[in-house]
Structures are given as C-alpha cells and as structure tokens.
Amino acid sequence: MRDRISGKAIVITVVNASYIIKKAMYEGISLKGYIEERAINIANYIIEENATVRQTAKKFGISKSTVHKDVTERLVQINPTLASQARKVLDVNKSERHIRGGLATREKYLHQKGAV
C-alpha cells in the first residue's frame, strides 16, 4: 500500500483487521478481493466445523447477516460448488435449531435447580 500524497510505501502491522478495512475504505482501495476471500473462508469453516451462522459470525467477528449474505449471495458467484456445500450445512442447522433451543433451555433449568 502506498501513501497517496508522498507515494511512499506504508507498512501496517495487523493488530486489528477492522482498522485496515476502515483505512482501505477511506483511501478508496477496492475490498472486493478481501470480501471474496472472507466468503470462501467462512464457507470452509462452516463445512469443516459443521458450524451455525452464530458460531461463524462469532469466530470471524462479523454479523450474522454478513455471514448469511456471504454464503447465500456472494459465494454463489465466486464458487457455486462450495456455496451449495455450505448451504447444505446451514439448512441442516436451521432445521435442527428448535431442538438445540429446547436443549439449551433444559440445561439452563437443570443448572438453576442444582444451584438451589
């Protein structure tokens, strides 16, 4: 990356990825490559870990809606095969979420009962 005024190279130590993204937006640098890479990384994580949207969002430090958009819209254009694999995992997780919610509630009340 180069400074716009002096043309000198800028070296940035990655401490906070959001800082780099904001700086890139401010300087008008295209983020398309970053977004495509993130979408691929998200899909791979979902497939390998059988992760939910919430787990993925927490892992990558982004919102659930961004995870959903990356997988359902952006990734379809980049890599349709990977997108369909990730979509299958998300569909299974979605169909099972009512069960997970019930189990979480059961655990909550078991812990409360044990504390009394």
Side-chain angles (χ1 to χ4, degrees):
M1 186 181 312
R2 296 201 174 273
D3 187 309
R4 282 187 160 178
I5 297 170
S6 67
K8 294 181 181 178
I10 300 172
V11 178
I12 299 175
T13 304
V14 178
V15 176
N16 185 349
S18 65
Y19 168 76
I20 293 173
I21 294 166
K22 288 175 187 170
K23 183 161 180 60
M25 287 179 178
Y26 174 75
E27 292 185 359
I29 299 167
S30 172
L31 295 179
K32 187 174 182 183
Y34 164 76
I35 293 171
E36 288 177 355
E37 184 179 338
R38 181 187 67 202
I40 292 169
N41 289 338
I42 286 172
N44 286 328
Y45 178 77
I46 288 171
I47 294 165
E48 291 169 7
E49 301 294 326
N50 201 26
T52 63
V53 171
R54 284 178 187 249
Q55 291 168 336
T56 306
K58 188 174 182 179
K59 167 76 175 171
F60 286 87
I62 56 178
S63 70
K64 295 183 302 181
S65 58
T66 302
V67 171
H68 183 71
K69 185 166 187 159
D70 280 353
V71 173
T72 60
E73 294 177 20
R74 295 180 178 131
L75 194 61
V76 171
Q77 298 171 354
I78 301 166
N79 187 338
T81 306
L82 188 62
S84 67
Q85 291 173 346
R87 187 74 212 173
K88 285 178 188 175
V89 173
L90 292 180
D91 288 343
V92 169
N93 288 338
K94 186 175 180 181
S95 69
E96 294 174 349
R97 72 179 171 190
H98 66 283
I99 298 168
R100 285 195 196 104
L103 293 174
T105 304
R106 181 173 184 260
E107 285 293 320
K108 173 185 170 183
Y109 287 112
L110 286 175
H111 285 297
Q112 286 180 355
K113 187 177 180 180
V116 174

